[in-house]
Amino acid sequence: MQPARLRTGRDKGPLERFFLTLREDLLQALPANKGPDLHSRGERPEGEAFFFLHELEAIIREWVACVYHHRPHTSLVDPGVPGLRMSPAAMFEHGLNRAGYIEVPRDPDLAFEFLRVERRTIQHYGIDLDARRYNGAALDPYRGLLSGERDGKWPIAVNPDDINAVYFRDPASRGWHALAWEHAPGRDMPVSEEALQFARRLAAARDRFPDDKAAVRDLFERWNLGLGTTLVERRMALRLAREQKALDLPESEESVATLPSVRRLMDLPDAAPPQHASTTAAETGDDDAADEAEFVELEDEGDFYLDALEDA
């Protein structure tokens, strides 16, 4: 995988083609849709009803499940049956009949296995990691003990994008435990290693004896006031913003599927649940026509990503 360049749609042609299908088959029929330009919108879309993000997500999911997955697609074929075009739902059922259901092992703690591992000794106060102290009740049975490895240190899993806590796996129970940073500003606000190093440099230039907790607080205040104008600061702020959890919006008293505009769009009866689209629907999949998408073979140039952060 490689990142797509800014404003270069041909780098991700299949995804852009799906966006076109979504816009033409669903979004442009919704009320208050503004379209991609002035020529594709109604006279006064701002006066129509609008949807919150969680409502729009429910509408799109319903459309994918009831319409898109039951529409024949030219690329879904069976080599043994020439001319047969199947929908995604039919192709999924066909695959189950041929190969059976494959049960993939699921481990809720699998994400910890992909974190960076640092080896540290366990002291009476916890562990030290890059001049940060972490502690937790899970370390009590192992304080002052050696791990049994050659260096005597214990493996600690570290997430560089959120250093409010590190993770220790108890060798007896094999369970993971979070060890809190003593200067964590709050578990609802992640702090990256990069942001902490930057905050330390700012604090060292201002104070003779900088403190991590005060340095991180001053950094967040600096960003809230809009003082972080350099590219490095903006990139760090964006990374921290992506780590924050989305707000839990309350469920609407009225289901999205019961909205009159959605019923008209889906052609559903008033009191009936959403119906699956007919399997004999016209074949309008996501295949690219010659005049719809232009695929250009990328040259292997050394300056491929030089302009990747111009608009960041």
Side-chain angles (χ1 to χ4, degrees):
M1 297 178 62
Q2 67 179 12
R5 294 171 293 181
L6 296 177
R7 297 193 303 274
T8 309
R10 62 178 179 270
D11 283 0
K12 50 186 187 304
L15 184 61
E16 294 292 345
R17 186 59 181 86
F18 175 77
F19 289 160
L20 177 63
T21 300
L22 177 65
R23 175 168 59 86
E24 292 182 345
D25 291 1
L26 175 67
L27 299 183
Q28 69 179 12
L30 293 177
N33 176 65
K34 293 185 177 181
D37 51 56
L38 291 174
H39 303 283
S40 303
R41 66 187 61 177
E43 184 178 1
R44 293 184 180 87
E46 65 277 359
E48 300 178 350
F50 62 90
F51 302 100
F52 293 102
L53 288 180
H54 69 287
E55 295 177 325
L56 187 60
E57 180 181 1
I59 294 174
I60 295 176
R61 287 181 180 273
E62 181 188 39
W63 172 78
V64 170
C66 299
V67 179
Y68 184 80
H69 280 172
H70 296 271
R71 176 183 299 164
H73 198 294
T74 56
S75 65
L76 299 179
V77 298
D78 185 351
V81 187
L84 176 64
R85 298 294 182 268
M86 290 182 285
S87 65
M91 194 66 183
F92 178 77
E93 183 179 359
H94 178 61
L96 289 180
N97 293 330
R98 292 186 59 183
Y101 179 74
I102 301 176
E103 179 71 25
V104 179
R106 294 181 293 270
D107 183 0
D109 297 331
L110 186 62
F112 294 106
E113 303 288 348
F114 293 91
L115 297 179
R116 192 184 74 209
V117 176
E118 299 284 351
R119 303 188 65 84
R120 293 293 186 272
T121 58
I122 300 179
Q123 307 295 333
H124 65 280
Y125 53 80
I127 64 171
D128 277 314
L129 182 64
D130 190 24
R132 305 187 304 270
R133 284 189 176 182
Y134 293 88
N135 198 7
L139 300 179
D140 292 344
Y142 307 101
R143 299 182 190 274
L145 301 181
L146 301 179
S147 65
E149 300 293 336
R150 179 176 301 179
D151 57 2
K153 298 180 179 180
W154 300 84
I156 305 296
V158 181
N159 179 10
D161 291 327
D162 187 2
I163 59 175
N164 284 330
V166 295
Y167 305 95
F168 171 73
R169 190 170 196 174
D170 192 323
S173 64
R174 305 299 296 170
W176 288 92
H177 303 274
L179 308 178
W181 179 29
E182 61 178 353
H183 293 313
R187 298 305 302 275
D188 57 341
M189 186 62 183
V191 181
S192 66
E193 286 185 346
E194 187 181 25
L196 177 60
Q197 295 298 333
F198 185 78
R200 284 174 173 175
R201 291 196 297 268
L202 292 179
R206 182 182 63 252
D207 302 327
R208 184 175 181 182
F209 301 102
D211 174 71
D212 281 349
K213 187 174 183 179
V216 173
R217 183 186 64 247
D218 293 342
L219 179 64
F220 287 160
E221 292 178 356
R222 172 185 173 91
W223 286 347
N224 287 335
L225 292 176
L227 299 179
T229 56
T230 66
L231 181 61
V232 175
E233 288 185 86
R234 289 159 59 189
R235 176 168 52 82
M236 286 188 292
L238 287 174
R239 289 189 64 182
L240 292 183
R242 295 190 186 103
E243 290 293 325
Q244 297 185 54
K245 295 181 179 179
L247 296 177
D248 292 328
L249 295 177
E251 293 292 338
S252 175
E253 296 180 358
E254 183 182 19
S255 174
V256 174
T258 63
L259 295 176
S261 58
V262 179
R263 291 202 304 268
R264 290 196 303 269
L265 178 62
M266 298 296 185
D267 194 19
L268 303 176
D270 290 344
Q275 301 293 327
H276 294 299
S278 175
T279 56
T280 60
E283 187 175 306
T284 55
D286 284 344
D287 306 281
D288 291 319
D291 57 344
E292 290 180 341
E294 176 186 1
F295 292 92
V296 180
E297 184 177 358
L298 300 178
E299 299 179 0
D300 187 13
E301 299 177 353
D303 58 349
F304 187 86
Y305 297 110
L306 285 182
D307 59 346
L309 294 176
E310 283 184 356
D311 297 338

